[in-house]
Amino acid sequence: DGGITQSPKYLFRKEGQNVTLSCEQNLNHDAMYWYRQDPGQGLRLIYYSQIVNDFQKGDIAEGYSVSREKKESFPLTVTSAQKNPTAFYLCATAGTVQETQYFGPGTRLLVL
Amino acid sequence: GESVGLHLPTLSVQEGDNSIINCAYSNSASDYFIWYKQESGKGPQFIIDIRSNMDKRQGQRVTVLLNKTVKHLSLQIAATQPGDSAVYFCAEKKAAGNKLTFGGGTRVLVKP
Protein backbone atom coordinates (compact mmCIF):
# COMPACT_ATOMS: atom_id res chain seq x y z
CA ASP A 1 0.00 0.00 0.00
CA GLY A 2 2.82 2.47 0.73
CA GLY A 3 1.64 5.73 -0.78
CA ILE A 4 -2.06 4.86 -0.72
CA THR A 5 -4.06 5.78 2.36
CA GLN A 6 -7.60 4.72 3.13
CA SER A 7 -9.56 6.01 6.06
CA PRO A 8 -11.16 5.12 8.30
CA LYS A 9 -10.11 1.51 8.82
CA TYR A 10 -13.57 0.68 10.16
CA LEU A 11 -16.78 2.57 9.43
CA PHE A 12 -20.27 2.07 10.76
CA ARG A 13 -23.36 3.14 8.88
CA LYS A 14 -26.87 3.57 10.20
CA GLU A 15 -29.93 2.80 8.12
CA GLY A 16 -30.66 5.53 5.57
CA GLN A 17 -27.31 7.21 6.07
CA ASN A 18 -24.77 8.16 3.44
CA VAL A 19 -21.13 7.56 4.34
CA THR A 20 -17.94 8.57 2.54
CA LEU A 21 -14.76 6.52 2.36
CA SER A 22 -11.50 8.31 1.76
CA CYS A 23 -8.70 7.29 -0.60
CA GLU A 24 -5.59 9.43 -0.91
CA GLN A 25 -2.40 8.74 -2.86
CA ASN A 26 0.97 10.45 -3.16
CA LEU A 27 2.23 8.30 -6.04
CA ASN A 28 1.30 10.83 -8.74
CA HIS A 29 -0.86 8.16 -10.37
CA ASP A 30 -3.50 9.19 -12.87
CA ALA A 31 -5.79 6.18 -12.48
CA MET A 32 -7.73 5.33 -9.34
CA TYR A 33 -10.21 2.54 -8.62
CA TRP A 34 -12.73 1.43 -6.03
CA TYR A 35 -13.48 -2.25 -5.44
CA ARG A 36 -15.82 -4.08 -3.15
CA GLN A 37 -14.87 -7.43 -1.58
CA ASP A 38 -17.37 -9.67 0.15
CA PRO A 39 -16.24 -12.45 2.54
CA GLY A 40 -14.50 -15.30 0.76
CA GLN A 41 -14.92 -13.68 -2.64
CA GLY A 42 -12.94 -11.81 -5.22
CA LEU A 43 -12.95 -8.11 -6.01
CA ARG A 44 -15.69 -6.34 -7.93
CA LEU A 45 -15.16 -2.96 -9.54
CA ILE A 46 -17.44 -0.13 -8.39
CA TYR A 47 -16.00 2.96 -10.13
CA TYR A 48 -12.74 4.03 -11.68
CA SER A 49 -11.15 7.27 -12.79
CA GLN A 50 -8.58 7.61 -15.54
CA ILE A 51 -7.80 11.24 -14.85
CA VAL A 52 -8.92 14.22 -12.78
CA ASN A 53 -12.55 15.28 -13.31
CA ASP A 54 -13.35 12.00 -15.07
CA PHE A 55 -14.80 8.75 -13.75
CA GLN A 56 -16.54 5.69 -15.15
CA LYS A 57 -18.96 3.16 -13.71
CA GLY A 58 -17.65 -0.29 -12.98
CA ASP A 59 -19.62 -3.50 -12.70
CA ILE A 60 -21.56 -2.67 -9.50
CA ALA A 61 -21.93 1.14 -9.42
CA GLU A 62 -25.56 1.24 -8.24
CA GLY A 63 -25.88 2.82 -4.79
CA TYR A 64 -22.43 4.41 -4.94
CA SER A 65 -21.05 7.77 -6.08
CA VAL A 66 -17.55 9.18 -6.54
CA SER A 67 -15.75 12.40 -7.35
CA ARG A 68 -12.27 13.15 -8.66
CA GLU A 69 -11.63 16.82 -8.05
CA LYS A 70 -7.95 16.32 -7.25
CA LYS A 71 -5.39 13.91 -8.62
CA GLU A 72 -4.52 12.70 -5.12
CA SER A 73 -8.05 11.95 -3.94
CA PHE A 74 -10.91 9.68 -5.05
CA PRO A 75 -13.60 9.53 -2.32
CA LEU A 76 -16.38 6.96 -2.49
CA THR A 77 -19.83 7.66 -1.07
CA VAL A 78 -22.01 4.74 -0.13
CA THR A 79 -25.54 6.05 -0.40
CA SER A 80 -28.71 4.89 1.31
CA ALA A 81 -29.70 3.34 -2.01
CA GLN A 82 -27.06 0.65 -1.46
CA LYS A 83 -29.11 -1.92 0.43
CA ASN A 84 -26.29 -4.31 1.24
CA PRO A 85 -23.27 -2.12 1.97
CA THR A 86 -21.47 -4.39 4.45
CA ALA A 87 -18.17 -5.27 2.78
CA PHE A 88 -14.44 -4.57 2.62
CA TYR A 89 -13.78 -1.61 0.33
CA LEU A 90 -10.46 -1.37 -1.48
CA CYS A 91 -8.97 1.56 -3.33
CA ALA A 92 -6.31 1.02 -5.96
CA THR A 93 -4.16 3.28 -8.11
CA ALA A 94 -2.11 2.91 -11.28
CA GLY A 95 0.14 5.17 -13.29
CA THR A 96 -2.38 4.83 -16.10
CA VAL A 97 -5.23 2.43 -16.79
CA GLN A 98 -2.75 0.35 -18.79
CA GLU A 99 -0.42 -0.17 -15.85
CA THR A 100 -0.33 -2.36 -12.76
CA GLN A 101 -2.78 -1.52 -9.99
CA TYR A 102 -1.60 -1.16 -6.41
CA PHE A 103 -3.98 -1.39 -3.48
CA GLY A 104 -4.55 0.52 -0.28
CA PRO A 105 -5.14 -1.14 3.10
CA GLY A 106 -8.94 -1.10 2.81
CA THR A 107 -11.92 0.12 4.81
CA ARG A 108 -14.37 -2.27 6.40
CA LEU A 109 -17.93 -0.94 6.37
CA LEU A 110 -20.48 -2.34 8.79
CA VAL A 111 -24.16 -1.54 9.10
CA LEU A 112 -25.66 -0.89 12.54
CA GLY B 1 -19.55 -14.87 -19.98
CA GLU B 2 -15.84 -14.11 -19.86
CA SER B 3 -14.32 -15.04 -16.54
CA VAL B 4 -11.18 -15.72 -14.63
CA GLY B 5 -11.39 -18.55 -12.15
CA LEU B 6 -9.28 -20.76 -9.94
CA HIS B 7 -9.29 -24.55 -9.78
CA LEU B 8 -8.61 -25.00 -6.05
CA PRO B 9 -10.20 -22.89 -3.34
CA THR B 10 -7.77 -24.08 -0.62
CA LEU B 11 -4.22 -25.37 -0.87
CA SER B 12 -2.50 -26.86 2.16
CA VAL B 13 1.28 -27.16 1.84
CA GLN B 14 4.10 -28.24 4.10
CA GLU B 15 6.63 -25.59 5.02
CA GLY B 16 9.60 -25.83 2.69
CA ASP B 17 7.68 -27.49 -0.12
CA ASN B 18 6.80 -25.79 -3.39
CA SER B 19 3.28 -24.45 -3.96
CA ILE B 20 1.45 -24.29 -7.26
CA ILE B 21 -1.68 -22.16 -7.61
CA ASN B 22 -3.68 -22.48 -10.81
CA CYS B 23 -5.95 -20.10 -12.66
CA ALA B 24 -8.05 -20.58 -15.80
CA TYR B 25 -9.15 -17.74 -18.00
CA SER B 26 -11.62 -17.76 -20.84
CA ASN B 27 -10.98 -14.46 -22.62
CA SER B 28 -8.46 -15.03 -25.37
CA ALA B 29 -8.30 -11.25 -25.86
CA SER B 30 -6.57 -10.80 -22.49
CA ASP B 31 -2.97 -9.79 -22.80
CA TYR B 32 -1.93 -8.98 -19.25
CA PHE B 33 -2.13 -11.12 -16.13
CA ILE B 34 -1.31 -10.36 -12.52
CA TRP B 35 -1.01 -12.35 -9.32
CA TYR B 36 -1.87 -10.69 -6.00
CA LYS B 37 -1.43 -11.92 -2.43
CA GLN B 38 -3.93 -10.85 0.22
CA GLU B 39 -3.37 -11.40 3.92
CA SER B 40 -6.28 -11.33 6.30
CA GLY B 41 -7.71 -7.84 6.79
CA LYS B 42 -5.28 -6.21 4.36
CA GLY B 43 -5.33 -4.97 0.80
CA PRO B 44 -4.00 -7.18 -2.04
CA GLN B 45 -0.26 -6.98 -2.61
CA PHE B 46 1.22 -7.19 -6.10
CA ILE B 47 3.39 -10.28 -6.55
CA ILE B 48 4.21 -10.68 -10.22
CA ASP B 49 2.75 -10.02 -13.65
CA ILE B 50 3.15 -11.40 -17.15
CA ARG B 51 2.17 -10.27 -20.62
CA SER B 52 0.78 -12.57 -23.26
CA ASN B 53 3.96 -12.41 -25.36
CA MET B 54 5.75 -14.35 -22.61
CA ASP B 55 5.39 -17.94 -21.34
CA LYS B 56 7.28 -17.61 -18.08
CA ARG B 57 8.46 -14.93 -15.72
CA GLN B 58 10.44 -15.32 -12.53
CA GLY B 59 10.65 -13.20 -9.42
CA GLN B 60 12.04 -13.78 -5.98
CA ARG B 61 10.86 -17.33 -5.04
CA VAL B 62 7.92 -17.00 -7.43
CA THR B 63 7.41 -18.03 -11.03
CA VAL B 64 4.38 -17.35 -13.20
CA LEU B 65 3.66 -19.61 -16.17
CA LEU B 66 1.26 -18.74 -18.96
CA ASN B 67 -0.13 -21.35 -21.32
CA LYS B 68 -2.15 -19.50 -23.93
CA THR B 69 -3.09 -22.69 -25.76
CA VAL B 70 -5.24 -23.90 -22.88
CA LYS B 71 -5.78 -20.45 -21.32
CA HIS B 72 -4.10 -21.39 -18.07
CA LEU B 73 -2.03 -19.36 -15.64
CA SER B 74 -0.11 -20.67 -12.65
CA LEU B 75 1.89 -19.24 -9.78
CA GLN B 76 4.68 -21.32 -8.30
CA ILE B 77 6.11 -20.46 -4.91
CA ALA B 78 9.41 -22.09 -4.06
CA ALA B 79 10.25 -23.22 -0.52
CA THR B 80 6.93 -22.08 0.90
CA GLN B 81 7.19 -20.25 4.21
CA PRO B 82 4.63 -19.50 6.95
CA GLY B 83 4.52 -15.90 5.73
CA ASP B 84 3.19 -17.16 2.41
CA SER B 85 -0.10 -18.13 4.05
CA ALA B 86 -2.69 -15.90 2.39
CA VAL B 87 -5.31 -15.78 -0.34
CA TYR B 88 -3.90 -15.50 -3.85
CA PHE B 89 -5.83 -13.89 -6.69
CA CYS B 90 -5.17 -13.93 -10.39
CA ALA B 91 -6.43 -11.05 -12.52
CA GLU B 92 -6.58 -10.44 -16.25
CA LYS B 93 -6.86 -7.40 -18.48
CA LYS B 94 -7.93 -7.23 -22.08
CA ALA B 95 -5.67 -5.58 -24.60
CA ALA B 96 -6.35 -1.81 -24.55
CA GLY B 97 -8.90 -2.38 -21.81
CA ASN B 98 -9.22 -0.25 -18.70
CA LYS B 99 -10.29 -2.82 -16.15
CA LEU B 100 -8.98 -5.88 -14.38
CA THR B 101 -11.15 -8.98 -13.92
CA PHE B 102 -10.35 -10.91 -10.76
CA GLY B 103 -10.70 -14.59 -10.03
CA GLY B 104 -12.31 -15.86 -6.83
CA GLY B 105 -9.06 -16.55 -4.97
CA THR B 106 -7.18 -19.55 -3.55
CA ARG B 107 -6.31 -19.79 0.12
CA VAL B 108 -2.83 -21.17 0.82
CA LEU B 109 -2.24 -22.66 4.27
CA VAL B 110 1.35 -23.44 5.23
CA LYS B 111 1.79 -26.22 7.77
CA PRO B 112 4.84 -26.07 10.05
Side-chain angles (χ1 to χ4, degrees):
Chain A
D1 39 28
I4 305 170
T5 304
Q6 289 188 243
S7 62
K9 187 172 183 177
Y10 296 96
L11 185 59
F12 298 91
R13 193 191 92 164
K14 295 180 181 178
E15 291 287 340
Q17 186 181 46
N18 292 354
V19 292
T20 299
L21 284 64
S22 169
C23 179
E24 302 281 329
Q25 55 106 353
N26 62 4
L27 302 171
N28 201 34
H29 283 176
D30 281 326
M32 298 186 75
Y33 306 79
W34 274 106
Y35 292 89
R36 170 183 172 135
Q37 185 176 35
D38 292 283
Q41 297 187 30
L43 282 68
R44 293 184 290 168
L45 182 65
I46 304 173
Y47 269 99
Y48 68 100
S49 169
Q50 297 186 62
I51 200 165
V52 175
N53 293 323
D54 171 78
F55 50 83
Q56 310 290 332
K57 290 182 178 180
D59 301 318
I60 55 165
E62 186 175 352
Y64 300 97
S65 66
V66 293
S67 63
R68 187 81 187 278
E69 298 176 1
K70 299 187 300 181
K71 188 173 187 178
E72 302 80 21
S73 179
F74 190 41
L76 172 74
T77 296
V78 184
T79 75
S80 57
Q82 173 49 247
K83 298 306 179 188
N84 185 24
T86 297
F88 191 43
Y89 289 86
L90 289 157
C91 175
T93 75
T96 71
V97 291
Q98 300 299 320
E99 298 177 36
T100 302
Q101 294 180 26
Y102 296 91
F103 286 83
T107 291
R108 190 167 298 280
L109 176 62
L110 300 168
V111 177
L112 296 176
Chain B
E2 310 289 6
S3 65
V4 175
L6 298 176
H7 295 302
L8 299 173
T10 303
L11 177 66
S12 185
V13 61
Q14 198 70 39
E15 181 179 355
D17 288 351
N18 297 335
S19 303
I20 299 176
I21 307 165
N22 296 304
C23 180
Y25 66 96
S26 58
N27 190 344
S28 57
S30 294
D31 72 338
Y32 181 53
F33 304 87
I34 310 174
W35 280 101
Y36 288 94
K37 170 187 179 183
Q38 186 177 27
E39 296 176 84
S40 181
K42 297 183 179 180
Q45 176 186 1
F46 171 84
I47 302 173
I48 193 168
D49 58 2
I50 188 168
R51 297 202 175 270
S52 58
N53 61 352
M54 302 173 68
D55 297 322
K56 178 180 179 179
R57 191 166 187 216
Q58 289 184 291
Q60 187 176 10
R61 283 202 306 118
V62 295
T63 301
V64 55
L65 300 176
L66 178 62
N67 186 331
K68 295 178 285 293
T69 302
V70 295
K71 298 188 182 69
H72 185 267
L73 186 70
S74 68
L75 177 70
Q76 299 178 4
I77 305 174
T80 311
Q81 302 169 359
D84 295 326
S85 292
V87 176
Y88 291 80
F89 292 97
C90 63
E92 63 163 334
K93 189 175 76 67
K94 300 177 188 178
N98 297 338
K99 302 184 291 183
L100 288 176
T101 300
F102 284 83
T106 292
R107 182 175 302 279
V108 172
L109 298 174
V110 181
K111 297 180 291 185

